[in-house]
Amino acid sequence: MSAGRPSALRSLYAYPWDVASRGAREFAAQAIQLGLSGATLALSCHAGKLVSPQHRGSRVVFPEDGVVYFEPDARGYGEIAPQPHSDPALRHVAEDLAADGALQLRAWTALLRNRRLGALHPLHVARNAWGDAYADSLCPSSPAVAEYALALCADIARLPLRGLVLEAPNWLPYAHGHRDEFAQVRGNLWLEALLGLCFCSHCRRMAGDADLDADALAARVRARVDGYLAAPVDAAPDQAAAWLLADLLELPQWSAYLKLRQQRVADLVAAIRARVPRDREVWVMPSVQRPTANAWIEGSQLAALARACDGVEVRFYETDASRVAADAFDTVQRVGDPARVRAILRPGPPDLGDGAQLGAAMDALKAAGIGDIAFYNYGLLRPDRLRALGAHLRAEAA
């Protein structure tokens, strides 16, 4: 690096329970030995069933659903408030890591993906064109949800952190790991895009304020999907992509509705950036979609999000390095500034040839102008994958 230029960030995503099982000091020392400079710690998380090679004492971890891993200040919230984790020790892992001081610490928050809060506040969750509630997806067009998101981020920013990484400040896509998610209809991009559209009362009001007829659009969505589900056909991926493009061109109100959703999410992120002190970074994970250009399905527009905060931290979760290279190129083109793009890689199964192409993927990101890279996830990676990550980082620094 040239004189005065900061070194590129190399951060490790981690869950509080995995760090706590090792102790903050041991975890930080291990991360530093691997060549990492930062940790991105989950402070708001959803449920799961996780095989954890790194957890000392357990092998399968069932996290509490929809809780936060710090001590929230109840005075800062309105109708919707976070639920703290039941174990006080897990609510202090961030402070323990910050006190150790060896790593740059960032908070990772699953902002609007929260089944616990959705069940408590059913008037503020996403609803499809039939009115079915998606309890794990708090709707960003709800004023109460926006108030909660702002308060949560301001609350987290009280902690001794370098910044925040916001996951899911948008609508969740239809297929996104809901508990016992199951279908005997093959999914495709067209079907899931339509099933994922929200037509709750807040979204209908938002559309009405923009002179869009949400009722007519919802009726069209119902007709298209009902007809498909009644027919003895399955759309192949290329057919579904063609249907999607044709519908977007033939239904201008759908395109307008999508743009309205994107503006709503960008406005929410900008409001969070304004609420969080300037000495704390705010980065956004714009999508769980592969490739990243499909972020529109969730209400994300890459350039608008990058402008609304410090930048986008993109999951380049791909089977091989060539796909990372293509997605990185496209993402940077859409954002317009590689300095506003950070990357997340998974250095083991199921990505990058089970991690064998990690070095090639890192080289592809650098070629696209992306300097900062994080790696997912400490607790889920086997020791050999962590050692391989360390070898790549040491070779990079040499």
Coordinates of all heavy atoms in Angstrom, one line a residue, residues 101-175:
G101 N -9.9 -5.1 21.9 CA -9.3 -4.1 21.1 C -8.4 -4.5 19.9 O -7.9 -3.7 19.2
A102 N -8.3 -5.8 19.7 CA -7.4 -6.3 18.6 C -8.0 -6.2 17.2 O -7.3 -6.1 16.3 CB -7.0 -7.8 18.9
L103 N -9.3 -6.2 17.2 CA -10.0 -6.2 15.9 C -10.9 -5.0 15.7 O -11.5 -4.5 16.7 CB -10.9 -7.5 15.8 CG -10.2 -8.8 15.8 CD1 -11.3 -10.0 16.0 CD2 -9.4 -9.0 14.5
Q104 N -11.1 -4.5 14.5 CA -12.1 -3.6 14.2 C -13.4 -4.3 14.3 O -13.6 -5.4 13.7 CB -11.9 -3.0 12.7 CG -10.7 -2.3 12.5 CD -10.6 -1.8 11.0 OE1 -11.6 -1.7 10.3 NE2 -9.4 -1.6 10.5
L105 N -14.4 -3.7 15.0 CA -15.6 -4.4 15.3 C -16.8 -3.7 14.6 O -17.0 -2.5 14.8 CB -15.9 -4.5 16.8 CG -17.1 -5.3 17.2 CD1 -17.0 -6.8 16.8 CD2 -17.2 -5.2 18.8
R106 N -17.5 -4.5 13.8 CA -18.8 -4.0 13.2 C -19.9 -4.9 13.6 O -19.8 -6.1 13.8 CB -18.6 -4.0 11.7 CG -17.6 -3.0 11.2 CD -17.2 -3.1 9.7 NE -16.3 -2.1 9.3 CZ -15.0 -2.1 9.6 NH1 -14.4 -3.1 10.2 NH2 -14.2 -1.1 9.2
A107 N -21.1 -4.3 13.7 CA -22.3 -5.0 14.0 C -23.1 -5.4 12.8 O -23.3 -4.6 11.8 CB -23.2 -4.1 14.9
W108 N -23.5 -6.6 12.7 CA -24.3 -7.2 11.6 C -25.7 -7.4 12.2 O -25.9 -8.1 13.2 CB -23.6 -8.5 11.2 CG -24.4 -9.4 10.4 CD1 -25.4 -9.1 9.4 CD2 -24.3 -10.9 10.4 NE1 -25.9 -10.3 8.9 CE2 -25.2 -11.4 9.4 CE3 -23.5 -11.7 11.1 CZ2 -25.4 -12.7 9.2 CZ3 -23.6 -13.1 10.8 CH2 -24.5 -13.6 9.9
T109 N -26.7 -6.8 11.5 CA -28.0 -6.8 12.0 C -29.0 -7.3 10.9 O -29.0 -6.7 9.8 CB -28.5 -5.5 12.6 OG1 -29.9 -5.6 12.9 CG2 -28.3 -4.4 11.6
A110 N -29.8 -8.3 11.2 CA -30.9 -8.8 10.3 C -32.0 -7.9 10.6 O -32.9 -8.2 11.4 CB -31.2 -10.2 10.5
L111 N -32.1 -6.8 9.9 CA -32.9 -5.6 10.3 C -34.4 -5.9 10.3 O -35.1 -5.8 11.3 CB -32.6 -4.4 9.4 CG -33.1 -3.1 9.9 CD1 -32.5 -2.7 11.2 CD2 -32.7 -2.0 8.8
L112 N -35.0 -6.3 9.1 CA -36.4 -6.5 9.0 C -36.8 -8.0 8.8 O -38.0 -8.3 8.6 CB -37.0 -5.7 7.9 CG -36.7 -4.2 7.9 CD1 -37.5 -3.4 6.8 CD2 -37.1 -3.6 9.3
R113 N -35.9 -8.9 8.9 CA -36.2 -10.3 8.9 C -36.3 -10.7 10.3 O -35.4 -11.0 11.0 CB -35.1 -11.1 8.2 CG -35.5 -12.6 8.2 CD -34.4 -13.5 7.5 NE -34.8 -14.9 7.5 CZ -34.0 -15.9 7.1 NH1 -32.8 -15.6 6.7 NH2 -34.4 -17.1 7.2
N114 N -37.6 -10.8 10.8 CA -37.8 -11.1 12.2 C -39.2 -11.7 12.4 O -40.2 -11.0 12.5 CB -37.7 -9.8 13.0 CG -37.5 -10.1 14.5 OD1 -38.2 -10.8 15.1 ND2 -36.4 -9.5 15.1
R115 N -39.2 -13.1 12.5 CA -40.4 -13.8 12.7 C -41.1 -13.5 14.1 O -42.3 -13.5 14.2 CB -40.2 -15.3 12.5 CG -41.5 -16.1 12.5 CD -41.2 -17.6 12.3 NE -40.6 -17.9 11.0 CZ -39.4 -18.3 10.9 NH1 -38.5 -18.4 11.9 NH2 -38.9 -18.5 9.6
R116 N -40.2 -13.4 15.1 CA -40.8 -13.1 16.4 C -41.5 -11.8 16.5 O -42.7 -11.7 16.9 CB -39.6 -13.1 17.4 CG -40.1 -12.8 18.9 CD -38.9 -12.5 19.8 NE -38.1 -13.8 20.0 CZ -38.1 -14.4 21.1 NH1 -38.8 -13.9 22.2 NH2 -37.4 -15.5 21.3
L117 N -40.9 -10.7 15.9 CA -41.6 -9.4 15.9 C -42.8 -9.4 15.0 O -43.8 -8.8 15.2 CB -40.6 -8.3 15.6 CG -39.5 -8.1 16.6 CD1 -38.7 -6.9 16.2 CD2 -40.1 -7.8 18.0
G118 N -42.7 -10.2 13.8 CA -43.8 -10.3 12.9 C -45.0 -10.9 13.5 O -46.1 -10.5 13.3
A119 N -44.8 -11.9 14.3 CA -45.9 -12.6 15.0 C -46.5 -11.7 16.0 O -47.8 -11.7 16.2 CB -45.4 -13.9 15.7
L120 N -45.7 -10.8 16.7 CA -46.3 -9.9 17.7 C -47.0 -8.7 17.0 O -47.9 -8.1 17.6 CB -45.1 -9.4 18.6 CG -44.5 -10.4 19.5 CD1 -43.3 -9.8 20.2 CD2 -45.5 -10.8 20.6
H121 N -46.6 -8.4 15.8 CA -47.1 -7.2 15.1 C -47.6 -7.6 13.7 O -47.0 -7.1 12.7 CB -46.1 -6.1 15.1 CG -45.5 -5.8 16.4 ND1 -46.2 -4.9 17.3 CD2 -44.4 -6.1 17.0 CE1 -45.5 -4.8 18.4 NE2 -44.4 -5.5 18.3
P122 N -48.7 -8.3 13.6 CA -49.1 -8.8 12.2 C -49.6 -7.7 11.3 O -49.7 -7.9 10.1 CB -50.3 -9.8 12.6 CG -50.7 -9.4 13.9 CD -49.5 -8.9 14.7
L123 N -49.9 -6.5 11.8 CA -50.4 -5.4 11.0 C -49.2 -4.8 10.2 O -49.4 -4.0 9.4 CB -51.1 -4.4 11.8 CG -52.4 -4.8 12.5 CD1 -53.0 -3.6 13.2 CD2 -53.4 -5.2 11.4
H124 N -48.0 -5.2 10.6 CA -46.8 -4.6 10.0 C -45.9 -5.5 9.2 O -44.7 -5.3 9.1 CB -46.0 -3.9 11.1 CG -46.8 -2.9 11.8 ND1 -47.2 -1.7 11.3 CD2 -47.3 -2.9 13.1 CE1 -47.9 -1.0 12.1 NE2 -48.0 -1.7 13.3
V125 N -46.4 -6.7 8.8 CA -45.7 -7.6 8.0 C -46.1 -7.6 6.5 O -47.2 -7.0 6.2 CB -45.8 -9.1 8.5 CG1 -45.4 -9.1 10.0 CG2 -47.2 -9.6 8.4
A126 N -45.2 -8.1 5.7 CA -45.6 -8.1 4.2 C -46.7 -9.1 4.0 O -46.9 -10.1 4.7 CB -44.3 -8.6 3.4
R127 N -47.6 -8.8 3.0 CA -48.7 -9.6 2.6 C -48.7 -9.7 1.1 O -48.6 -8.7 0.4 CB -50.0 -9.1 3.1 CG -50.1 -9.1 4.6 CD -51.4 -8.6 5.2 NE -51.5 -8.7 6.6 CZ -51.9 -9.7 7.3 NH1 -52.5 -10.7 6.6 NH2 -51.9 -9.8 8.6
N128 N -48.9 -10.9 0.6 CA -48.9 -11.0 -0.9 C -50.2 -10.6 -1.5 O -51.1 -10.0 -0.8 CB -48.5 -12.5 -1.3 CG -49.6 -13.5 -0.8 OD1 -50.7 -13.2 -0.6 ND2 -49.1 -14.7 -0.6
A129 N -50.4 -10.8 -2.8 CA -51.6 -10.3 -3.5 C -52.8 -11.0 -3.1 O -53.9 -10.5 -3.4 CB -51.4 -10.5 -5.0
W130 N -52.8 -12.1 -2.4 CA -53.9 -12.8 -1.8 C -54.2 -12.4 -0.4 O -55.2 -12.9 0.2 CB -53.8 -14.3 -1.9 CG -53.7 -14.8 -3.3 CD1 -54.7 -15.4 -4.0 CD2 -52.5 -14.8 -4.2 NE1 -54.2 -15.7 -5.3 CE2 -52.9 -15.4 -5.4 CE3 -51.2 -14.3 -4.0 CZ2 -52.0 -15.5 -6.5 CZ3 -50.3 -14.4 -5.0 CH2 -50.7 -15.0 -6.3
G131 N -53.3 -11.6 0.2 CA -53.5 -11.2 1.6 C -52.8 -12.1 2.6 O -52.9 -11.9 3.8
D132 N -52.0 -13.1 2.1 CA -51.3 -14.0 3.0 C -50.2 -13.3 3.7 O -49.4 -12.6 3.0 CB -50.8 -15.2 2.2 CG -51.9 -15.9 1.4 OD1 -53.0 -16.1 1.9 OD2 -51.6 -16.3 0.2
A133 N -50.1 -13.4 5.0 CA -49.1 -12.7 5.7 C -47.7 -13.5 5.7 O -47.7 -14.7 5.9 CB -49.5 -12.5 7.2
Y134 N -46.6 -12.8 5.5 CA -45.3 -13.3 5.6 C -44.7 -12.8 6.9 O -44.1 -11.8 7.0 CB -44.4 -12.9 4.4 CG -44.9 -13.4 3.1 CD1 -44.5 -12.7 1.9 CD2 -45.7 -14.5 3.0 CE1 -44.9 -13.2 0.7 CE2 -46.1 -15.0 1.7 CZ -45.7 -14.4 0.6 OH -46.1 -14.8 -0.6
A135 N -44.9 -13.7 8.0 CA -44.7 -13.2 9.3 C -43.2 -12.9 9.6 O -42.9 -12.2 10.6 CB -45.2 -14.3 10.3
D136 N -42.3 -13.5 8.8 CA -40.9 -13.2 9.0 C -40.4 -12.0 8.3 O -39.2 -11.6 8.5 CB -40.0 -14.4 8.6 CG -40.3 -14.8 7.1 OD1 -41.3 -14.4 6.5 OD2 -39.4 -15.5 6.5
S137 N -41.2 -11.3 7.6 CA -40.8 -10.1 6.8 C -41.5 -8.8 7.3 O -42.7 -8.6 6.9 CB -41.0 -10.4 5.3 OG -40.6 -9.3 4.5
L138 N -40.9 -8.0 8.1 CA -41.5 -6.8 8.5 C -41.4 -5.9 7.3 O -40.4 -5.8 6.6 CB -40.7 -6.1 9.6 CG -40.6 -6.9 11.0 CD1 -39.7 -6.2 11.9 CD2 -42.0 -7.0 11.6
C139 N -42.5 -5.1 7.0 CA -42.7 -4.4 5.8 C -42.1 -3.0 6.0 O -42.5 -2.2 6.8 CB -44.1 -4.2 5.4 SG -44.3 -3.3 3.9
P140 N -41.1 -2.6 5.1 CA -40.4 -1.3 5.3 C -41.3 -0.1 5.0 O -41.0 1.0 5.3 CB -39.3 -1.4 4.3 CG -39.6 -2.5 3.3 CD -40.4 -3.4 4.1
S141 N -42.5 -0.4 4.3 CA -43.4 0.8 4.1 C -44.2 1.1 5.3 O -44.9 2.1 5.3 CB -44.3 0.5 2.9 OG -45.2 -0.6 3.1
S142 N -44.2 0.3 6.3 CA -44.9 0.6 7.6 C -44.2 1.6 8.4 O -43.0 1.5 8.7 CB -45.1 -0.7 8.4 OG -45.3 -0.4 9.8
P143 N -44.9 2.7 8.7 CA -44.2 3.7 9.6 C -43.7 3.2 10.9 O -42.6 3.6 11.3 CB -45.3 4.8 9.8 CG -46.2 4.6 8.6 CD -46.2 3.2 8.3
A144 N -44.4 2.2 11.5 CA -43.9 1.7 12.7 C -42.7 0.8 12.5 O -41.8 0.8 13.4 CB -45.0 0.8 13.4
V145 N -42.6 0.1 11.4 CA -41.4 -0.7 11.1 C -40.2 0.3 10.9 O -39.1 0.0 11.3 CB -41.6 -1.6 9.9 CG1 -40.3 -2.2 9.4 CG2 -42.6 -2.7 10.3
A146 N -40.4 1.3 10.1 CA -39.3 2.3 9.9 C -38.9 2.9 11.2 O -37.6 3.1 11.4 CB -39.8 3.4 8.9
E147 N -39.8 3.2 12.1 CA -39.4 3.8 13.4 C -38.6 2.8 14.2 O -37.5 3.1 14.8 CB -40.7 4.1 14.2 CG -40.4 4.7 15.5 CD -41.6 5.0 16.3 OE1 -42.7 4.4 16.0 OE2 -41.6 5.8 17.3
Y148 N -39.0 1.5 14.1 CA -38.2 0.4 14.8 C -36.8 0.3 14.2 O -35.8 0.2 14.9 CB -38.9 -0.9 14.6 CG -38.1 -2.1 14.8 CD1 -37.6 -2.5 16.1 CD2 -37.6 -2.9 13.8 CE1 -36.8 -3.6 16.3 CE2 -36.8 -4.0 13.9 CZ -36.4 -4.3 15.2 OH -35.6 -5.4 15.4
A149 N -36.7 0.3 12.9 CA -35.4 0.2 12.2 C -34.4 1.3 12.6 O -33.3 1.1 12.9 CB -35.5 0.1 10.7
L150 N -35.0 2.6 12.6 CA -34.2 3.7 13.0 C -33.7 3.6 14.4 O -32.5 3.9 14.8 CB -35.0 5.0 12.8 CG -35.2 5.4 11.3 CD1 -36.3 6.5 11.3 CD2 -33.9 6.0 10.7
A151 N -34.6 3.3 15.3 CA -34.3 3.2 16.7 C -33.3 2.1 17.0 O -32.4 2.2 17.8 CB -35.6 3.0 17.5
L152 N -33.5 0.9 16.3 CA -32.5 -0.2 16.5 C -31.1 0.2 16.1 O -30.1 -0.1 16.9 CB -33.0 -1.4 15.8 CG -32.1 -2.7 15.9 CD1 -32.1 -3.2 17.3 CD2 -32.6 -3.7 14.9
C153 N -31.0 0.8 15.0 CA -29.6 1.2 14.5 C -29.0 2.2 15.4 O -27.8 2.1 15.7 CB -29.7 1.6 13.0 SG -30.1 0.3 11.9
A154 N -29.8 3.2 15.8 CA -29.2 4.2 16.7 C -28.9 3.6 18.1 O -27.8 3.9 18.7 CB -30.3 5.3 17.0
D155 N -29.6 2.6 18.5 CA -29.3 1.9 19.8 C -28.0 1.1 19.6 O -27.2 1.2 20.5 CB -30.5 0.9 20.1 CG -30.6 0.6 21.6 OD1 -29.9 1.2 22.4 OD2 -31.5 -0.2 21.9
I156 N -27.9 0.4 18.5 CA -26.6 -0.4 18.3 C -25.4 0.5 18.2 O -24.3 0.2 18.7 CB -26.8 -1.3 17.1 CG1 -27.8 -2.4 17.3 CG2 -25.4 -1.8 16.6 CD1 -28.1 -3.2 16.0
A157 N -25.6 1.7 17.6 CA -24.5 2.6 17.5 C -24.0 3.2 18.8 O -22.9 3.8 18.8 CB -25.0 3.8 16.5
R158 N -24.7 3.0 19.9 CA -24.2 3.4 21.2 C -23.0 2.5 21.6 O -22.2 3.0 22.5 CB -25.3 3.3 22.3 CG -26.5 4.2 22.1 CD -27.4 4.0 23.3 NE -27.9 2.7 23.4 CZ -27.6 1.8 24.4 NH1 -26.7 2.1 25.3 NH2 -28.2 0.6 24.4
L159 N -22.9 1.3 21.0 CA -21.8 0.4 21.4 C -20.5 0.8 20.8 O -20.5 1.6 19.8 CB -22.2 -1.0 20.9 CG -23.5 -1.6 21.5 CD1 -23.9 -2.9 20.8 CD2 -23.4 -1.8 23.0
P160 N -19.4 0.4 21.4 CA -18.1 0.8 20.9 C -17.7 0.0 19.6 O -17.0 -1.0 19.6 CB -17.1 0.4 22.0 CG -17.8 -0.7 22.8 CD -19.3 -0.4 22.6
L161 N -18.3 0.4 18.5 CA -18.2 -0.2 17.2 C -17.6 0.7 16.2 O -17.7 1.9 16.3 CB -19.5 -0.7 16.7 CG -20.4 -1.6 17.6 CD1 -21.8 -1.6 17.1 CD2 -19.8 -3.0 17.7
R162 N -17.0 0.1 15.1 CA -16.6 0.9 13.9 C -17.8 1.2 13.1 O -17.8 2.3 12.4 CB -15.6 0.1 13.1 CG -15.0 0.8 11.9 CD -14.2 2.0 12.2 NE -13.0 1.7 13.0 CZ -11.8 1.4 12.5 NH1 -11.7 1.5 11.1 NH2 -10.8 1.2 13.2
G163 N -18.8 0.4 13.1 CA -20.0 0.7 12.2 C -21.0 -0.5 12.2 O -20.9 -1.5 13.0
L164 N -21.9 -0.4 11.3 CA -23.0 -1.3 11.2 C -23.1 -1.9 9.8 O -22.8 -1.1 8.8 CB -24.4 -0.7 11.5 CG -24.7 -0.3 12.9 CD1 -24.0 1.0 13.3 CD2 -26.2 -0.1 13.1
V165 N -23.5 -3.1 9.6 CA -23.8 -3.7 8.3 C -25.2 -4.2 8.4 O -25.6 -5.0 9.2 CB -22.9 -4.9 8.0 CG1 -23.3 -5.5 6.6 CG2 -21.4 -4.5 8.0
L166 N -26.1 -3.6 7.6 CA -27.5 -3.8 7.6 C -27.9 -4.9 6.6 O -27.8 -4.7 5.4 CB -28.3 -2.5 7.3 CG -27.9 -1.3 8.1 CD1 -28.8 -0.1 7.7 CD2 -28.0 -1.5 9.6
E167 N -28.4 -6.0 7.1 CA -29.0 -7.0 6.3 C -30.5 -6.8 6.3 O -31.1 -6.5 7.3 CB -28.7 -8.4 6.8 CG -29.3 -9.6 6.0 CD -29.0 -10.9 6.6 OE1 -28.4 -11.0 7.7 OE2 -29.4 -11.9 6.0
A168 N -31.1 -7.0 5.1 CA -32.6 -7.0 5.0 C -33.2 -5.7 5.5 O -34.1 -5.7 6.4 CB -33.2 -8.2 5.8
P169 N -32.8 -4.5 5.0 CA -33.6 -3.3 5.2 C -34.7 -3.2 4.2 O -35.4 -2.2 4.1 CB -32.5 -2.2 4.9 CG -31.7 -2.8 3.8 CD -31.6 -4.3 4.1
N170 N -35.0 -4.3 3.5 CA -36.0 -4.4 2.4 C -37.0 -5.5 2.7 O -37.1 -6.0 3.7 CB -35.2 -4.6 1.1 CG -34.1 -5.7 1.3 OD1 -34.2 -6.5 2.2 ND2 -33.0 -5.6 0.5
W171 N -37.8 -5.7 1.6 CA -38.7 -6.9 1.7 C -37.9 -8.2 1.5 O -36.9 -8.2 0.7 CB -39.7 -6.8 0.6 CG -40.7 -5.7 0.8 CD1 -42.0 -5.9 1.4 CD2 -40.7 -4.3 0.4 NE1 -42.6 -4.7 1.4 CE2 -41.8 -3.7 0.8 CE3 -39.7 -3.6 -0.2 CZ2 -42.1 -2.4 0.6 CZ3 -39.9 -2.2 -0.4 CH2 -41.1 -1.6 0.0
L172 N -38.2 -9.2 2.1 CA -37.6 -10.5 1.9 C -38.1 -11.1 0.6 O -39.3 -10.9 0.2 CB -37.9 -11.5 3.0 CG -37.4 -11.2 4.4 CD1 -37.6 -12.4 5.3 CD2 -35.9 -10.9 4.4
P173 N -37.3 -11.8 -0.2 CA -37.9 -12.5 -1.3 C -38.8 -13.6 -0.9 O -38.7 -14.0 0.3 CB -36.6 -13.0 -2.0 CG -35.6 -13.2 -0.9 CD -35.9 -12.1 0.0
Y174 N -39.6 -14.2 -1.8 CA -40.5 -15.2 -1.4 C -39.7 -16.4 -0.8 O -40.1 -16.9 0.2 CB -41.3 -15.7 -2.6 CG -42.2 -16.9 -2.2 CD1 -43.3 -16.8 -1.4 CD2 -41.8 -18.2 -2.6 CE1 -44.0 -17.9 -1.0 CE2 -42.5 -19.3 -2.2 CZ -43.6 -19.1 -1.4 OH -44.3 -20.2 -1.0
A175 N -38.7 -16.9 -1.5 CA -37.9 -18.1 -1.1 C -36.7 -17.6 -0.3 O -35.7 -17.2 -0.9 CB -37.5 -18.9 -2.3

